Amino acid sequence: MNTQVNPGVVIVTGASSGIGATIAGKLASCWSTVACLSRSGRVPEGLEEHPAIKAVSCDVSDEHRIKATFGELAAHGPISALVNNAGIHSQCRAAETSTDELRALLEVNAIGLFVACREVYPYMQANGGGQIVNIGSFMDHMGVPTQSGYCASKAAVGAITRCLGVEWARDGIEVVNLAPGYVATDMNADFLASEAGQRLLKRIPLRRAAYDEEVAGLVERILAARAPYLTGTTIYMDGGFGVSL
């Protein structure tokens, strides 16, 4: 992969664990500063001593904290890239979903992501451009029982990506939505091992869930490619699930 170290700052939200931590670890080898944002402010496991890693406590549902955090990080170098990975998931029958539950999903998955993009924009504009990778979901275009709120929040990620990609193209800012399918994590390990989970995996042409390293590797490739003509698009990484019969 890219062996040249980028002197700028890349921000990864939701980076204390899971996919976000893996993304941060992958980018740490090619960026001088990887700002790992999370509510806890914990350093991703295994990266405690890495010189490029900077753990920051920042709740993406708090727009004032996002603004202040980005201002602080700009002192460490030009903010060249933002990976919006922070997100929450819940499932409930639509008729039983409370307004507060729906609002919480949208607040983190869509509004928090939009605010992060908005607040990083002036720094990237001043630097002559930058890259934003939003982590969406292949459920953004699917009808999934018990997950109407989650699907709606991820559909919003695709729409935000399209609009910002068009609006900020002349500023040299590339905006891409990476939409994974099922990804094997500690949180869903029990489900994927269950009978229902195994039935689901058999519907995927590759017969397995994605690995978080695969998602992180594609994020790294998107940033390394610096391909502005890719802007505004959604890249589905679902093992062929969305196009199979």
Side-chain angles (χ1 to χ4, degrees):
M1 246 344 270
N2 184 21
T3 57
Q4 183 177 358
V5 175
N6 189 310
V9 176
V10 57
I11 299 172
V12 182
T13 68
S16 63
S17 62
I19 297 172
T22 305
I23 292 172
K26 180 70 72 172
L27 298 180
S29 64
C30 48
W31 291 74
S32 61
T33 303
V34 180
C36 302
L37 275 56
S38 65
R39 284 180 295 182
S40 67
R42 292 196 308 267
V43 178
E45 185 177 354
L47 298 174
E48 293 86 355
E49 304 301 323
H50 199 294
I53 295 295
K54 179 177 177 58
V56 181
S57 175
C58 181
D59 185 342
V60 297
S61 64
D62 183 344
E63 66 175 316
H64 301 294
R65 181 59 185 146
I66 291 175
K67 184 181 183 68
T69 297
F70 286 9
E72 294 163 5
L73 291 173
H76 293 268
I79 301 177
S80 304
L82 166 66
V83 180
N84 278 309
N85 167 77
I88 60 174
H89 178 269
S90 69
Q91 58 185 71
C92 182
R93 294 183 180 277
E96 300 166 1
T97 299
S98 69
T99 304
D100 285 342
E101 184 175 5
L102 177 60
R103 184 176 288 115
L105 283 165
L106 295 171
E107 187 70 40
V108 175
N109 296 354
I111 298 174
L113 177 145
F114 178 87
V115 170
C117 291
R118 184 191 70 198
E119 295 304 323
V120 84
Y121 170 75
Y123 298 104
M124 291 186 173
Q125 183 191 42
N127 296 333
Q131 296 170 282
I132 298 173
V133 177
N134 296 321
I135 304 298
S137 170
F138 77 137
M139 289 187 182
D140 64 0
H141 67 297
M142 300 174 68
V144 185
T146 74
Q147 300 201 42
S148 56
Y150 179 76
C151 290
S153 70
K154 290 302 184 177
V157 173
I160 291 169
T161 298
R162 289 190 293 274
C163 293
L164 298 187
V166 170
E167 187 171 338
W168 295 348
R170 293 189 180 181
D171 294 305
I173 300 174
E174 174 191 357
V175 190
V176 174
N177 176 29
L178 174 55
Y182 294 101
V183 182
T185 64
D186 291 340
M187 292 182 63
N188 63 18
D190 290 341
F191 168 72
L192 292 178
S194 69
E195 184 177 345
Q198 290 299 303
R199 286 199 304 270
L200 185 149
L201 294 179
K202 288 179 181 178
R203 295 176 56 193
I204 302 173
L206 286 179
R207 298 296 190 270
R208 66 170 176 83
Y211 306 125
D212 54 0
E213 292 87 354
E214 292 177 302
V215 178
L218 186 50
V219 171
E220 180 191 21
R221 286 170 171 80
I222 292 171
L223 295 180
R226 294 183 178 86
Y229 227 73
L230 193 65
T231 198
T233 195
T234 293
I235 301 173
Y236 290 102
M237 186 183 186
D238 61 3
F241 185 96
V243 296
S244 65
L245 294 175

